[in-house]
Amino acid sequence: MARRYPIKPGDPKLLGFTDDHVRSLLGELHERGRKFGLVFPSSTTDRTIDGRVLVCFNTAPLSTLLNLLTLLLDADRETTCDS
């Protein structure tokens, strides 16, 4: 398996995410996280600064949301492969 590195908060790729994209990702986080006991009822999009959508997820940037989703997807794959 190729080694992946976390997305950094200043990554230029994050500029392509719209408010709607981020809301969709938050929905996926809620769905996938529930399986692992992770619940984020108050997470939502906040505002956009310098073209970057901020996530109201405590004080986390979008990169944290994407990195957490990646971890959840990896954990889900491992669980599926082990069964």
Side-chain angles (χ1 to χ4, degrees), residues 1-47:
M1 180 191 279
R3 184 169 171 98
R4 288 189 295 211
Y5 294 94
I7 298 171
K8 295 181 181 179
D11 192 315
K13 290 180 270 185
L14 299 177
L15 293 172
F17 286 86
T18 66
D19 211 48
D20 288 339
H21 289 128
V22 176
R23 279 197 191 103
S24 177
L25 290 169
L26 286 169
E28 186 173 350
L29 175 67
H30 291 155
E31 182 181 324
R32 292 186 181 281
R34 201 171 309 133
K35 177 179 179 180
F36 295 96
L38 301 171
V39 181
F40 308 99
S42 62
S43 58
T44 185
T45 57
D46 189 9
R47 55 193 163 132

Side-chain angles (χ1 to χ4, degrees), residues 47-65:
R47 55 193 163 132
T48 303
I49 295 179
D50 294 333
R52 290 179 173 81
V53 178
L54 300 181
V55 179
C56 189
F57 177 68
N58 200 354
T59 56
L62 174 59
S63 57
T64 300
L65 169 63

